[in-house]
């Protein structure tokens, strides 16, 4: 559905536009105006009308309808198409979920398509409307503001994940930690959240770098003012920090998982040594009792009245000696 459609002239919003085709015509009739159309989870029929009115490329329209795209930047003859993936951190479940925002930029228009939750488009529009000097730069300002808001929130999510990782690390290496299978599952689940986060941050580096004037082409992008390159470089710097944080988190959680598995292995070895020690102490009395339980007629000491207490004392003495020896070696 269409969430908002407005004409901005000289950085200020005019009255809410009615039909977007009429709004686009009015915006293109003025040199300092553009129309910003916001769409949420559009149907194929609804977005077909939008694409026809704004002249959007059919391949980009297909991507916008299907969603589940990687962050990317595509340049067509009549428009620019960019995909970013906002990230939402859910503190109740310690999970990361991804949204999706597609931005079409062309001659006198910006079309934003949102899928899922977490896209900061309402906040971006409100902030820009309170900064008319920035919004006066046209569709470029909108594209920059969206990228900046999404990447800045990445930093917040990275900080939250860092806090969760510290709590998980404390739990794993706590002396009271039981080293259960649940802990390994929590570590693996956390690693999956980092992988999900990386799906949003990693591929975005190339599009932002291209908007900043970098890459193999070394020049600007159509429909984006060259004067905006320093601003996109700032977004790129923030994104670089995010990607470095994600890499650090991934390495740390892998190290924690390895340490946890090693610790469980050591604990299992300790348990096996204790079991072996107790089995060895039980084996000697069992062997002696087994020998004297064979019921042969001719066996030494069978007729001796003191043989029973002597044998008991021998078994107890051997068990005590083995216990002291295992205790000295740290097996018990």
């Amino acid at each position: 559905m269409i969430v908002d459609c407005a004409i901005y002239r000289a950085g200020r919003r005019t009255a809410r536009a009615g039909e977007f085709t009429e709004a686009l015509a009015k915006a293109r009739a003025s040199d300092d105006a553009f129309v910003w159309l916001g769409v949420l989870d559009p149907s194929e029929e609804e977005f077909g009308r939008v694409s026809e009115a704004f002249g959007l490329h059919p391949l980009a329209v297909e991507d916008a309808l299907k969603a589940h795209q990687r962050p990317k930047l595509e340049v067509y003859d009549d428009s620019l198409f960019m995909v970013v993936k906002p990230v939402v951190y859910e503190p109740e479940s310690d999970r990361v979920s991804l949204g999706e925002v597609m931005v079409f930029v062309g001659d006198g228009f910006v079309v934003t398509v949102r899928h899922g939750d977490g896209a900061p488009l309402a906040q971006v529009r409100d902030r820009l409307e309170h900064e008319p000097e920035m919004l006066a730069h046209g569709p470029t300002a909108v594209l920059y503001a969206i990228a900046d808001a999404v990447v800045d929130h990445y930093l917040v999510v990275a900080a939250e994940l860092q806090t969760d990782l510290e709590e998980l690390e404390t739990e794993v290496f706590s002396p009271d930690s039981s080293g259960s299978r649940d802990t390994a599952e929590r570590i693996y689940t956390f690693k999956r959240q980092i992988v999900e986060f990386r799906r949003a941050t990693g591929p975005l580096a190339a599009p932002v770098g291209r908007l900043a004037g970098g890459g193999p082409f070394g020049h600007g992008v159509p429909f984006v003012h060259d004067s905006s390159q320093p601003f996109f470089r700032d977004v790129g710097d923030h994104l670089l920090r995010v990607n470095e944080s994600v890499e650090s988190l991934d390495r740390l959680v892998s190290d924690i998982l390895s340490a946890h598995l090693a610790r469980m292995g050591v604990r299992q070895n300790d348990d096996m040594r204790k079991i072996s020690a107790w089995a060895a102490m039980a084996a000697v009395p069992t062997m002696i009792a087994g020998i004297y339980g064979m019921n042969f007629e001719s066996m030494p000491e069978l007729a001796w009245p003191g043989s029973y207490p002597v044998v008991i004392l021998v078994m107890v003495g051997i068990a005590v000696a083995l216990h002291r020896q295992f205790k000295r070696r740290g097996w018990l």
Side-chain angles (χ1 to χ4, degrees):
M1 69 176 179
I2 295 177
V3 178
D4 198 356
C5 179
I7 299 174
Y8 295 89
R9 181 172 289 107
R12 299 189 180 278
R13 179 172 181 146
T14 64
R16 179 182 174 91
E19 182 65 25
F20 51 81
T21 54
E22 179 184 351
L24 179 60
K26 290 181 179 179
R28 284 178 171 172
S30 177
D31 294 335
D32 60 348
F34 71 96
V35 61
W36 182 356
L37 175 67
V39 186
L40 171 63
D41 293 326
S43 64
E44 185 173 352
E45 179 182 357
E46 181 181 37
F47 201 66
R49 294 173 49 240
V50 173
S51 63
E52 182 179 355
F54 288 87
L56 306 180
H57 197 280
L59 292 178
V61 171
E62 181 181 358
D63 289 344
L65 287 172
K66 288 185 176 180
H68 303 294
Q69 303 295 317
R70 287 169 56 89
K72 62 180 180 179
L73 177 67
E74 300 286 350
V75 178
Y76 299 102
D77 294 335
D78 299 325
S79 63
L80 176 75
F81 177 64
M82 185 172 181
V83 179
V84 295
K85 300 182 81 69
V87 174
V88 176
Y89 175 78
E90 301 171 1
E92 296 82 9
S93 58
D94 294 336
R95 290 187 176 275
V96 168
S97 59
L98 304 184
E100 201 157 351
V101 174
M102 286 83 165
V103 185
F104 293 87
V105 177
D107 180 21
F109 71 85
V110 175
V111 177
T112 54
V113 182
R114 176 164 65 90
H115 293 276
D117 299 326
L121 296 184
Q123 297 91 327
V124 169
R125 188 186 288 263
D126 183 69
R127 179 167 65 87
L128 285 175
E129 289 179 355
H130 286 83
E131 297 179 3
E133 65 284 353
M134 181 178 179
L135 196 54
H137 290 88
T140 300
V142 177
L143 182 62
Y144 160 73
I146 292 173
D148 184 57
V150 169
V151 172
D152 282 350
H153 193 66
Y154 287 167
L155 292 170
V156 176
V157 174
E160 295 284 355
L161 289 174
Q162 181 66 43
T163 301
D164 284 349
L165 181 61
E166 291 172 358
E167 294 176 356
L168 185 60
E169 187 177 15
T170 301
E171 176 185 339
V172 169
F173 294 105
S174 171
D176 300 330
S177 175
S178 61
S180 63
R181 181 177 298 177
D182 291 341
T183 304
E185 291 178 357
R186 282 195 60 195
I187 297 173
Y188 181 76
T189 300
F190 188 83
K191 190 174 180 65
R192 286 294 309 164
Q193 304 311 307
I194 296 176
V195 171
E196 193 77 2
F197 191 23
R198 179 183 286 172
R199 287 179 53 206
T201 64
L204 187 58
V208 172
R210 190 174 177 187
L211 289 170
F217 303 100
H219 55 72
V221 177
F223 309 106
V224 176
H225 295 303
D226 291 342
S227 59
S228 66
Q229 290 180 358
F231 296 94
F232 283 108
R233 279 197 292 271
D234 181 67
V235 175
D237 289 340
H238 292 177
L239 184 59
L240 179 61
R241 287 172 51 195
V242 171
N243 284 327
E244 289 175 349
S245 297
V246 172
E247 290 294 333
S248 177
L249 288 170
D250 188 51
R251 287 195 301 269
L252 284 173
V253 75
S254 296
D255 292 342
I256 290 174
L257 180 59
S258 299
H260 172 69
L261 295 177
R263 190 178 183 187
M264 289 186 64
V266 171
R267 184 169 296 174
Q268 289 174 352
N269 288 337
D270 290 340
D271 293 340
M272 288 302 300
R273 286 192 300 178
K274 292 178 181 179
I275 294 172
S276 300
W278 286 109
M281 287 188 290
V284 174
T286 302
M287 180 188 68
I288 295 175
I291 291 173
Y292 278 90
M294 290 188 293
N295 298 322
F296 290 118
E297 292 185 2
S298 299
M299 290 185 68
E301 295 89 22
L302 285 180
W304 183 37
S307 60
Y308 178 74
V310 168
V311 170
I312 294 298
L313 288 174
V314 168
M315 289 191 292
V316 171
I318 293 175
V320 170
L322 288 173
H323 184 275
R324 294 183 61 184
Q325 185 69 14
F326 290 138
K327 192 79 172 178
R328 187 181 301 112
R329 294 186 177 185
W331 284 36
L332 292 175

